[in-house]
Amino acid sequence: MGKVIVITSGKGGVGKTTSTANLGTALAMIEKTVVIVDADVGLRNLDVVMGLESRVVYTSMDVIEKRCELSKALVKDRRVENLMLLAASQRNRKDDIRPEQMQDICEKLKEEYDFVLIDSPAGIEQGFHNAAAGADEAIIVTTPDLSAIRDADRIIGLLQNEGIEPINLVINRLSATLVRKGNMISKNDVLDILNIDLIGVIPEDTGVIASTNRGVPLVHTDRSPGAEAYMRIARRMIGQRVPIPDMREDSFLDQIANWFSRNK
Amino acid sequence: MDFRSLFTRKSKSSSIATQRLQLILTQDRFEVSEDSMKKLQIELTEVLAKYFEFTMNSVSMSIKREGNSYVLMADFPYSKTNKIR
């Protein structure tokens, strides 16, 4: 029996789809069987980020309306074994699906796959509730800025009300340089405010743009800091103890100051 | 005196952001208006002022997430000179 994990954020544009694509790919690369599900009905994008848009024939809507079998609607990834995509319908609206129907799909998928990752739409309306309906666990993606953290806080409250646990945090697009200069909220401040468990920090990596252009998830790129961070998260997701590396957020001056206060 | 303050001219935008965020989230989590929060703050201070010497508005309140529940915290700066009435 596998796990269903919803990847959500509240705010749009913080990296939910990118994270779903990369974590799904990374888990499949370490020999897990994975389905990534696009729950963003009407605004689907996971197929594009995965470079699978030309292969999508059926969507979750076709499964719900019994036009096709669930197994037939799954699109096989082009690069990694054991990785499948269930696309969302582009012609429907989010309230055309009911939570029970999503739950049903998730139940069936987790019987056969180790991981079912649900790419949630932004917002806190029906689409989000559908995405979370079948989830056992959640991963919150946030960027270190006011609006994303505020929305993440709201989403955490909603997920806790639904009894989803654990809820883990991914801090995306952290720039150690900006934190050092005092122009970005630091990892520790985000953690202090949201007070949930951190599962990984993705450094700002411009490689993401090229990877989306090509339709090849970043984890396929060697020596990319973002790819390495996603691989580490995947390993933590399968229970390995992988430390979260320090990004040297402290400036040289802070380090001297810390040294002095330690030796007082 | 903080060693670091010698070298920083103005307050960093990240600390302004963190402070603003704390305030915003306290209001979000309370689900009350800024006005009601101010009122609660004043009334709490008035109650405590019956027993301790306080300067008004010296109390700061926040809500922190602890596991699945929230903890309301009110900080009253207290010094030995604030003797019990």
Side-chain angles (χ1 to χ4, degrees):
Chain A
M1 194 68 145
K3 261 187 211 171
V4 181
I5 304 175
V6 60
I7 297 175
T8 186
S9 67
K11 187 176 179 295
V14 297
K16 287 181 295 294
T17 305
T18 307
S19 295
T20 310
N22 279 290
L23 291 176
T25 308
L27 285 165
M29 283 163 91
I30 49 178
E31 320 271 279
K32 293 290 163 189
T33 56
V34 184
V35 189
I36 49 176
V37 179
D38 194 338
D40 204 345
V41 177
L43 290 169
R44 79 170 189 223
N45 272 319
L46 189 55
D47 53 335
V48 175
V49 173
M50 292 298 294
L52 294 172
E53 65 276 15
S54 62
R55 297 194 181 189
V56 175
V57 182
Y58 296 110
T59 65
S60 50
M61 207 64 213
D62 295 312
V63 178
I64 288 165
E65 295 181 340
K66 303 206 184 330
R67 280 189 292 270
C68 102
E69 287 289 308
L70 178 56
S71 57
K72 225 180 125 189
L74 301 179
V75 183
K76 213 172 163 305
D77 186 55
R78 286 190 289 159
R79 292 177 178 77
V80 207
E81 281 290 302
N82 303 326
L83 177 60
M84 304 294 222
L85 164 77
L86 178 59
S89 161
Q90 185 71 341
R91 290 182 191 166
N92 289 81
R93 294 154 49 96
K94 290 181 174 59
D95 34 20
D96 290 341
I97 297 184
R98 290 197 313 273
E100 312 87 74
Q101 295 170 321
M102 260 314 265
Q103 212 170 348
D104 191 46
I105 291 179
C106 292
E107 291 296 322
K108 285 180 184 144
L109 288 175
K110 74 174 173 186
E111 276 171 26
E112 282 183 51
Y113 293 86
D114 299 324
F115 284 94
V116 181
L117 306 185
I118 317 277
D119 181 21
S120 157
I124 51 170
E125 293 82 19
Q126 182 76 32
F128 159 71
H129 286 288
N130 285 341
D136 304 308
E137 300 181 6
I139 289 180
I140 306 277
V141 183
T142 191
T143 49
D145 61 275
L146 278 166
S147 4
I149 299 168
R150 181 190 199 179
D151 293 2
D153 187 74
R154 183 93 166 85
I155 286 282
I156 294 166
L158 293 173
L159 290 169
Q160 285 176 336
N161 284 347
E162 307 226 351
I164 294 173
E165 204 190 60
I167 303 170
N168 285 305
L169 183 70
V170 168
I171 302 175
N172 194 18
R173 304 190 63 177
L174 191 85
S175 157
T177 318
L178 284 183
V179 174
R180 262 200 305 275
K181 286 183 182 154
N183 281 327
M184 185 178 271
I185 302 174
S186 72
K187 177 190 85 183
N188 287 339
D189 282 340
V190 177
L191 283 180
D192 191 48
I193 287 163
L194 293 178
N195 208 21
I196 58 169
D197 289 332
L198 180 71
I199 197 167
V201 179
I202 316 291
E204 174 79 52
D205 186 335
T206 47
V208 170
I209 297 165
S211 115
T212 311
N213 287 345
R214 294 200 174 91
V216 181
L218 196 63
V219 285
H220 288 293
T221 322
D222 286 335
R223 287 190 301 273
S224 130
E228 284 172 7
Y230 277 120
M231 286 308 299
R232 282 193 294 269
I233 296 177
R235 292 190 186 285
R236 286 179 205 117
M237 287 169 79
I238 63 166
Q240 291 181 8
R241 288 174 63 97
V242 184
I244 295 172
D246 235 354
M247 287 181 61
R248 295 269 322 271
E249 289 178 348
D250 291 347
S251 68
F252 181 61
L253 216 56
D254 287 326
Q255 286 172 27
I256 296 174
N258 290 343
W259 188 84
F260 273 115
S261 41
R262 254 207 313 277
N263 289 286
K264 248 180 219 164
Chain B
M1 184 185 174
D2 186 7
F3 176 72
R4 267 162 280 205
S5 60
L6 283 174
F7 298 89
T8 3
R9 266 162 295 149
K10 54 179 187 186
S11 59
K12 293 173 171 176
S13 78
S14 60
S15 26
I16 296 170
T18 312
Q19 278 166 24
R20 288 179 60 205
L21 196 55
Q22 296 277 18
L23 200 70
I24 292 167
L25 288 185
T26 299
Q27 282 167 22
D28 284 357
R29 288 167 182 175
F30 261 126
E31 291 176 12
V32 294
S33 67
E34 203 178 341
D35 277 357
S36 316
M37 255 188 64
K38 283 233 170 70
K39 239 181 106 188
L40 175 60
Q41 220 164 350
I42 291 167
E43 284 177 26
L44 268 176
T45 314
E46 278 169 0
V47 170
L48 274 141
K50 289 183 185 167
Y51 303 92
F52 302 95
E53 278 172 30
F54 274 109
T55 44
M56 282 304 207
N57 298 328
S58 58
V59 54
S60 74
M61 289 193 307
S62 61
I63 290 195
K64 205 170 156 67
R65 180 182 292 112
E66 297 275 0
N68 282 345
S69 55
Y70 293 91
V71 181
L72 167 63
M73 294 194 294
D75 288 310
F76 296 87
Y78 177 76
S79 67
K80 284 259 168 69
T81 52
N82 286 336
K83 56 179 182 286
I84 297 172
R85 287 178 201 266

